[in-house]
Amino acid sequence: MMERPRSMLQIFLTLLALQLCASNPIFYESFDEPFEKRWIVSVNEDYKGVWKHSKSEGHEDYGLLVSEKARKYGIVKQLDEPVNLKDGTIVLQYEARFHNGLECGGAYLKYLRPQDAKWAPKDFDSDSPYSIMFGPDKCGSTNKVHFILKHKNPKTAEYVEHHLKYPPSVPYDKLTHVYTAVIEPNNDLRILIDGEEKKKANFLSGDDFEPAIVPPKTIPDPDDKKPEDWDEREKIPDPDARKPDDWDEDAPMEIEDADAVKPEGWLDDEPEEVDDPEASKPEDWDDEEDGEWEAPKIDNPKCATAPGCGEWRKPVKRNPAYKGKWHAPLIDNPNYKGIWKPREIPNPNYFDLDMPEFEPIAAIGIEIWTMQDGILFDNILIVNDEKVAESYREKASKPKYELEKAKEKVQDTPAGLSSFQKKIFDVFYQVADVPILKSYRAKIIDVIEKGEKQPNVSIGILVSIVVVFTTLIFRIIYGGKKAVHPPKATTTSSHTASAEKQEDEAGSSNAEREEDEKEKEDAGTAKPRRSRRET
């Protein structure tokens, strides 16, 4: 009878031990101490950016800081033991803050798979194989929190990058944010920002990753050809229709208004523009270099009170006889067979999986190229319990975010912006993240930000944004093909629109960004003056 309590006690202690083990992080880096003894900076000559052990602005908490602009950075930390991603839930989490905002740069982590025997941490570079890449990346029209799985194809043994479709966007501020990826044993993936779920996907779903991790069972037959007599025209011109005898195709669209009369007081001998009498030749003007100086033109003040100036011509009006080019009316095509598609055949490269062949995580690396400085990494965590990850967010990161947010409101909240308007703008920011509005997000955000900064026109901005959203949704639903651009906010000064870049491909943005920045530098180079004649 004494054996049963002892057995129960052993079970209790075992369960307690398991719980304690589960509560401990697999890996945690707080950067409270200098990083040099734990992290290895890449010796590759491409990575010239200097890492610093620095405080987060406004806090006593330290992190790993990107200290210089327009640099490549590389640093890595080997784990004591590889982390197996197949054993239950795994949570990848870290904190990042962009002190100077993020306009063009990456702030993602690479979770490296075991390297070959000859590899050393100091050799870490963009070619070091990884299992997962996760985190923010923003430049030009690229604005996403990446999640990329590098997966080994069981048939070809080749590693393929599988990119999460429609990932969440990077927060538009300079505050501390926590990025969390939860990998669950049921093949689900959840992406959280500051503990709020922004994206849910399934690794084995063909709709959530590009390319799909599991190939389709069937594919279009590459050898199938469309028959020559296949007719895809749904409508055809009526072969029995005839152009009416009175149809004049040569009649112009507009004709001169014969009844028009020149208004009284029209100044025939006065030009519409005259030389500015107050303009004078600049002292540094060189006739040989700049050409003969000519005074700039202004509107002729005599024309301001007259009905018009210069040679008067009769205006034109629409020609009532105009009919344009005649076309036979369309009728249903009796030979229409629909849009041809090749037949489906079994995919020779198809394979089935119960779960992805996740590679273990043997090291954590930061390998980025950025035009921004002031990027701070902190509280990097790998854990197998989502509640533990939540506790780290609540204790280590949330207090910083709340303090920064409070300071930001005091400094940046426009005078006169009501609490109701603030709530409306918050809703607009959330709507701007809707995937179907992805192509217009940058323009929508620009309008919203201008509205926040101009309380005197904020009501007009609200109305404009509602119109934009409504128009976009109608165009998307009814198949509109023309791009819709948000209206410009009324401002007291002119704004120049930023040229949009083509979207960088995830995971390969470094080289492309270098080319983008070179183009920026070329565009910003001062051009020699040209004379008025040349322009």
Side-chain angles (χ1 to χ4, degrees):
M1 296 296 293
M2 295 299 293
E3 291 298 321
R4 184 174 180 182
R6 185 180 301 173
S7 299
M8 294 295 292
L9 179 60
Q10 289 174 341
I11 293 173
F12 173 77
L13 292 175
T14 301
L15 291 174
L16 180 60
L18 290 173
Q19 179 64 31
L20 290 173
C21 291
S23 299
N24 292 326
I26 299 171
F27 172 81
Y28 178 60
E29 173 61 82
S30 66
F31 294 107
D32 289 340
E33 301 296 330
F35 62 87
E36 287 84 353
K37 294 181 180 180
R38 303 183 309 283
W39 291 72
I40 305 299
V41 176
S42 174
V43 297
N44 188 305
E45 61 181 9
D46 288 340
Y47 301 98
K48 298 180 180 179
V50 177
W51 296 99
K52 289 187 177 180
H53 184 238
S54 177
K55 289 182 179 180
S56 180
E57 185 178 309
H59 308 286
E60 293 301 314
D61 185 51
Y62 282 85
L64 181 65
L65 181 70
V66 169
S67 66
E68 298 176 302
K69 298 179 180 180
R71 290 285 188 271
K72 284 185 175 181
Y73 291 80
I75 193 169
V76 68
K77 170 70 172 73
Q78 284 189 298
L79 305 185
D80 295 335
E81 295 290 339
V83 178
N84 190 339
L85 298 177
K86 299 179 182 180
D87 295 340
T89 298
I90 292 293
V91 183
L92 309 176
Q93 181 171 285
Y94 73 101
E95 178 186 301
R97 184 182 183 188
F98 312 129
H99 287 100
N100 301 318
L102 187 66
E103 293 300 326
C104 191
Y108 41 79
L109 302 189
K110 288 185 174 181
Y111 297 86
L112 307 184
R113 67 175 187 255
Q115 312 293 301
D116 60 46
K118 296 180 180 179
W119 185 83
K122 64 182 178 61
D123 299 323
F124 173 58
D125 61 14
S126 60
D127 294 326
S128 299
Y130 64 86
S131 177
I132 289 172
M133 185 175 120
F134 170 56
D137 189 17
K138 185 176 184 291
C139 194
S141 57
T142 294
N143 184 347
K144 62 182 72 174
V145 178
H146 285 298
F147 187 94
I148 305 173
L149 174 66
K150 217 163 191 180
H151 186 261
K152 186 176 182 180
N153 186 306
K155 281 204 166 184
T156 65
E158 294 181 352
Y159 285 92
V160 179
E161 285 186 0
H162 300 276
H163 296 244
L164 177 65
K165 288 184 179 180
Y166 312 118
S169 57
V170 182
Y172 273 75
D173 57 41
K174 302 177 182 180
L175 310 180
T176 296
H177 292 286
V178 183
Y179 301 89
T180 307
V182 183
I183 301 171
E184 299 180 342
N186 63 355
N187 295 321
D188 279 349
L189 166 70
R190 292 186 294 115
I191 304 297
L192 290 70
I193 300 179
D194 299 328
E196 181 181 350
E197 184 176 302
K198 296 292 185 178
K199 175 71 177 180
K200 186 173 183 179
N202 188 281
F203 285 106
L204 302 186
S205 169
D207 298 327
D208 290 337
F209 282 85
E210 179 62 40
I213 296 173
V214 176
K217 289 184 178 181
T218 62
I219 59 171
D221 184 356
D223 298 323
D224 192 15
K225 305 298 181 184
K226 181 171 69 173
E228 293 183 2
D229 62 347
W230 192 278
D231 197 336
E232 295 183 334
R233 298 173 301 164
E234 187 174 356
K235 299 281 186 179
I236 59 171
D238 184 355
D240 298 325
R242 296 291 180 268
K243 181 175 70 173
D245 294 336
D246 62 348
W247 192 286
D248 185 0
E249 292 185 336
D250 298 324
M253 182 184 295
E254 293 180 329
I255 58 174
E256 187 179 83
D257 186 357
D259 298 328
V261 178
K262 181 171 67 174
E264 290 187 11
W266 188 280
L267 305 178
D268 297 85
D269 299 327
E270 288 291 341
E272 294 182 0
E273 291 185 335
V274 295
D275 291 344
D276 184 355
E278 297 182 1
S280 59
K281 181 178 177 180
E283 294 181 0
D284 62 345
W285 188 275
D286 188 327
D287 289 338
E288 293 184 1
E289 179 182 345
D290 301 321
E292 182 181 352
W293 182 81
E294 298 176 8
K297 298 290 185 181
I298 62 171
D299 292 337
N300 189 340
K302 294 181 180 179
C303 300
T305 56
C309 292
E311 182 183 357
W312 181 82
R313 294 184 179 87
K314 288 181 180 291
V316 296
K317 66 178 183 179
R318 184 173 180 83
N319 182 3
Y322 172 76
K323 293 185 178 180
K325 186 74 175 177
W326 181 84
H327 297 280
L330 297 179
I331 61 172
D332 292 335
N333 181 4
N335 299 318
Y336 175 66
K337 294 184 178 181
I339 303 300
W340 182 84
K341 294 181 181 180
R343 64 175 174 265
E344 293 284 318
I345 61 173
N347 183 359
N349 297 317
Y350 173 75
F351 56 82
D352 196 12
L353 290 175
D354 292 329
M355 69 181 304
E357 294 293 331
F358 293 113
E359 295 286 343
I361 297 174
I364 298 176
I366 306 176
E367 189 273 320
I368 58 174
W369 182 92
T370 177
M371 290 301 295
Q372 312 293 135
D373 59 357
I375 300 176
L376 191 79
F377 296 88
D378 200 1
N379 294 314
I380 301 174
L381 175 71
I382 301 178
V383 69
N384 55 14
D385 187 338
E386 192 174 351
K387 290 184 178 180
V388 175
E390 181 182 358
S391 69
Y392 275 82
R393 288 196 304 268
E394 291 293 318
K395 295 176 182 177
S397 306
K398 188 175 181 180
K400 289 190 286 187
Y401 172 83
E402 291 179 342
L403 179 60
E404 294 156 9
K405 190 69 175 176
K407 289 182 178 180
E408 183 186 60
K409 286 184 177 180
V410 172
Q411 296 172 356
D412 299 337
T413 298
L417 198 62
S418 69
S419 58
F420 170 74
Q421 289 171 327
K422 295 174 193 173
K423 292 179 181 178
I424 293 296
F425 281 118
D426 288 341
V427 171
F428 283 146
Y429 277 118
Q430 295 175 18
V431 174
D433 285 333
V434 173
I436 62 174
L437 300 178
K438 177 182 177 182
S439 300
Y440 312 102
R441 188 179 190 283
K443 293 184 176 68
I444 294 171
I445 291 294
D446 182 58
V447 174
I448 296 172
E449 290 178 342
K450 288 175 181 177
E452 285 186 309
K453 295 175 182 177
Q454 300 177 77
N456 59 317
V457 295
S458 59
I459 297 301
I461 294 294
L462 294 177
V463 174
S464 298
I465 296 173
V466 170
V467 171
V468 170
F469 285 158
T470 305
T471 304
L472 287 175
I473 291 170
F474 267 90
R475 284 189 176 274
I476 290 167
I477 292 175
Y478 296 107
K481 295 182 179 179
K482 292 184 178 180
V484 180
H485 300 284
K488 293 183 180 179
T490 304
T491 60
T492 55
S493 62
S494 62
H495 295 275
T496 57
S498 300
E500 299 233 351
K501 300 185 186 78
Q502 294 297 321
E503 178 168 351
D504 300 340
E505 289 297 329
S508 60
S509 54
N510 287 353
E512 296 175 9
R513 288 191 186 135
E514 285 181 328
E515 184 176 345
D516 289 342
E517 291 309 314
K518 188 176 185 306
E519 291 176 359
K520 286 183 180 178
E521 292 173 3
D522 292 342
T525 304
K527 296 181 180 179
R529 289 187 297 173
R530 296 187 298 169
S531 69
R532 288 167 59 93
R533 292 175 180 175
E534 290 176 298
T535 59

